[in-house]
Amino acid sequence: LASLQEHCPFTNLWDTLMEKEFGPPPLKDPTNPFVKLIGDRMKYVLAGYGGTCITLAALTCSLLNALGYQSQLSLTITHNKPGMEMMHAIVIVTNVSSNGDAFMLDPGSRISPIFQAVPLREVDKHGNLFLGRSAFCDNKVVKVGDLYQRYFRTYDSSYELPSDWQMFYDFDGKPLEIYNEIERTIDYTPYFRLSRYTFELNHLKKINKFWSSSFTLVGFPRGIAVRFLNKKLFIYERNGIKKIEFKNRNDQIQALTFYFPQLPHGKILQFFHSFWPINESKL
């Protein structure tokens, strides 16, 4: 997981660019707006360009299945921003060391990275499991009723004082057959039927507006954590956190290509030339 996240950063950059390049993704069911084709995007993930949680989780799931593991995608509901609850994709791997065991993997987290497989049987046994430090945060998983809750806490600029624990998301630990590897499609419909949260149309519009007007990229090049958030850059070095605020798009592009040289310079230019003027006040 650490190696995957080092080479394939989390970013919403390509979700924006892909629709410009390929047009709206074709739908398996024209009446279902929650089916996306990710096959064309997967080649960008494999090239190290990165992707969102759903593409990184789908890649992880495909790689594990190719190695003989039994893995499927699952979806969680985030709670770190009340009023902005979202679906977040994870991977559930079953029957690894014994029948009935299950491990949770989260290869695509922009908020709190996690570099290990979480043994859900241990969480069931003890009620909670402290996972320790991953980059700039601590993680733990707690069992509450039939649900698992994942918590995180971050550190200040000197890495001395952690914040209070905050719940990231909850999930039931059950895999959902939402990814069709042959057709390379993702169908969210089963989760909407089972969801503990009602996603109304206005809520979805607010989420879509957030993703289409905010740039984020989180990766781990050269053994350090790097987070781009709009016009800010956070570098999590061993002796503390360094913050940089970009004055113009060229400085930001230069920093992006320095830390992630595998990213295509031309496509980044294309994105920021259209994105920066529209969002300059927020950036």
Side-chain angles (χ1 to χ4, degrees):
L1 277 176
S3 179
L4 174 67
Q5 294 184 71
E6 179 179 349
H7 293 92
C8 298
F10 176 99
T11 180
N12 65 335
L13 183 60
W14 311 114
D15 281 351
T16 303
L17 284 177
M18 289 305 94
E19 291 203 7
K20 289 183 178 179
E21 183 171 345
F22 295 110
L27 299 179
K28 182 179 179 182
D29 177 1
T31 65
N32 177 9
F34 306 109
V35 180
K36 292 184 178 180
L37 179 71
I38 65 169
D40 289 321
R41 296 175 186 177
M42 193 62 74
K43 65 182 180 182
Y44 288 89
V45 181
L46 290 170
Y49 297 178
T52 56
C53 62
I54 194 70
T55 48
L56 294 173
L59 171 63
T60 303
C61 192
S62 297
L63 290 174
L64 289 173
N65 288 339
L67 293 171
Y69 291 95
Q70 300 176 30
S71 62
Q72 289 181 316
L73 291 185
S74 186
L75 294 173
T76 76
I77 299 294
T78 65
H79 296 281
N80 57 296
K81 285 188 176 183
M84 282 287 288
E85 291 83 0
M86 306 182 193
M87 290 185 295
H88 175 69
I90 57 175
V91 177
I92 301 294
V93 188
T94 55
N95 305 319
V96 177
S97 56
S98 62
N99 288 334
D101 65 2
F103 291 80
M104 185 274 284
L105 291 78
D106 187 349
S109 171
R110 67 187 174 91
I111 295 176
S112 60
I114 183 170
F115 298 146
Q116 59 186 292
V118 179
L120 298 182
R121 181 173 288 179
E122 290 297 308
V123 183
D124 293 335
K125 180 179 178 180
H126 301 288
N128 64 81
L129 184 63
F130 179 65
L131 303 174
R133 183 81 167 268
S134 290
F136 49 82
C137 62
D138 292 331
N139 292 285
K140 68 177 180 179
V141 177
V142 178
K143 185 72 177 291
V144 179
D146 295 331
L147 296 177
Y148 299 94
Q149 297 177 346
R150 185 184 161 199
Y151 288 81
F152 71 98
R153 63 183 182 185
T154 56
Y155 286 81
D156 64 8
S157 59
S158 62
Y159 286 149
E160 293 180 356
L161 298 175
S163 64
D164 293 332
W165 286 106
Q166 183 179 3
M167 185 166 71
F168 185 7
Y169 53 73
D170 62 18
F171 61 102
D172 58 15
K174 298 177 181 178
L176 291 171
E177 295 182 359
I178 60 174
Y179 179 46
N180 185 317
E181 293 198 49
I182 297 177
E183 297 184 12
R184 296 188 296 184
T185 57
I186 293 177
D187 186 351
Y188 295 101
T189 309
Y191 196 73
F192 275 82
R193 297 194 192 105
L194 301 173
S195 177
R196 302 169 301 281
Y197 188 85
T198 301
F199 284 87
E200 298 177 350
L201 183 59
N202 289 337
H203 185 86
L204 292 170
K205 287 181 178 179
K206 184 166 36 171
I207 293 173
N208 291 333
K209 182 179 179 180
F210 167 78
W211 283 114
S212 63
S213 62
S214 300
F215 165 64
T216 181
L217 186 148
V218 181
F220 306 91
R222 307 171 190 177
I224 61 173
V226 175
R227 297 178 70 192
F228 287 85
L229 180 60
N230 292 323
K231 70 173 183 178
K232 298 182 178 66
L233 167 62
F234 301 88
I235 307 169
Y236 298 82
E237 300 173 328
R238 289 179 175 83
N239 58 347
I241 303 172
K242 181 179 180 181
K243 178 181 175 182
I244 298 174
E245 187 161 347
F246 299 108
K247 301 300 182 183
N248 57 70
R249 76 188 90 179
N250 291 330
D251 290 345
Q252 187 171 31
I253 292 170
Q254 185 177 359
L256 276 168
T257 53
F258 173 78
Y259 285 106
F260 302 97
Q262 74 272 28
L263 299 181
H265 187 265
K267 290 186 179 295
I268 292 176
L269 280 172
Q270 173 190 344
F271 174 79
F272 277 105
H273 277 302
S274 61
F275 182 78
W276 189 287
I278 298 174
N279 299 278
E280 190 163 9
S281 60
K282 184 170 65 173
L283 283 171

